[in-house]
Amino acid sequence: MKLLPAVLGLVLLVLNPNGVEARPAPTGGHEKKPSSATFFVFGDDFADNGNLPPTDPVTQMSRQWAYPYGSNYVDADGFPRPNTPSGRFSNYKIQSDFIATMLGLEEAPPAHALTAKKTCDPSGMTFATGGAGVLQSTSHEVPVLAKQVDTFRKMVKDGTITEKQLSHSVALVAFSGNDYAGTGVIGLSSPNDINAYIGKVTKEIAANVDQLLKLGVTKVLVNYLHPIGCTPSYTRTNNYTTCDIFENLGASLHNDNLKQVMTSKKNVYIVDVYTAFTNIVDHVAGKGSELSKQFKRKLSPCCESLDSDGYCGQQGESSAELLYTVCDNSNRFFYWDDMHPTHAGWEAVMKQLEKPLREFVNQA
């Protein structure tokens, strides 16, 4: 059966919960430029900019609020503000920031958790929360996609999000695979069960996209899954030399299902982060080579835990004891930590996707 390798890949698709956090951006810099759209962001750590709260001491689910996260931050005026964690799972910007720039904004809109009640920033709002899934979360307290969309719905119904904001609005739905972590498909023994589960995930995405359009969002961007087998959490076992083909086939099966349920929808665009990542970290000879050459390290993380079960930013009993190492030049690394791209990594990914994204957003 041809799908068997992909099915095997999904059985193995156990994402490390380490890769499930993100922080809000420092204040300042959400100003809109003329003719910019309003932006609403849903998803997980690929798009979270502050919905997970900071904690003291730092934990795996709050590390994005502590050094070295945000270590390459530059403020809205272009001045370096090093070591300014913002709740993002990166050293600076993430995917939603780059899309926001395409829409005429300075950066992704503020996190819902950091916004005063009954208010919405003119630029929009970010509901994405690290650790969230479409059906499941790595933490029971993290809102799944439907919960995020329901919060948005309530804000539309009570007028906090206005009709004017909705009239030129773009939504991003960005999930990186938490539904396939741990309890996702592990324990499902038959290919039929696994295919059924993947179908539930992709149909739930489709249902929530329909809900966003019904509520008045004019355009919706939906991410494919990236090549999960190329993340350092999987490449570490072979000394960061090769991607895990079964994990990537598993992600491809999810993407095939997603394409099927999205094909007939109007005003919806699938963001092919799978190909954009692959062109850099696992490209076929002769393709994507120029982008790939930018990165000296494509499969290893800039910030690496000293313990295979640890995480970037982890501290020992004394805050002076750091249980991780950080590279000298993050621009040469595609991945920031065990799951998430660096600022430079996201920039290279979004550079490939910018032209079709702009065309979709600007079409009548």
Side-chain angles (χ1 to χ4, degrees), residues 278-329:
T278 299
N279 286 343
I280 298 168
V281 299
D282 194 28
H283 63 84
V284 177
K287 292 188 177 181
S289 54
E290 289 307 311
L291 282 170
S292 190
K293 287 177 184 175
Q294 174 185 340
F295 300 98
K296 184 178 180 181
R297 298 280 184 267
K298 291 171 281 192
L299 300 177
S300 56
C302 171
C303 182
E304 181 177 13
S305 171
L306 300 178
D307 181 349
S308 60
D309 294 322
Y311 54 90
C312 171
Q314 186 173 9
Q315 300 174 353
E317 292 184 11
S318 162
S319 59
E321 183 187 8
L322 306 182
L323 304 180
Y324 61 90
T325 59
V326 184
C327 68
D328 292 329
N329 186 357

Side-chain angles (χ1 to χ4, degrees), residues 20 130-145 178-179 183:
V20 200
V134 177
L135 299 172
Q136 305 186 48
S137 296
T138 55
S139 166
H140 295 301
E141 298 176 2
V142 176
V144 297
L145 175 58
N178 289 316
D179 290 277
T183 57

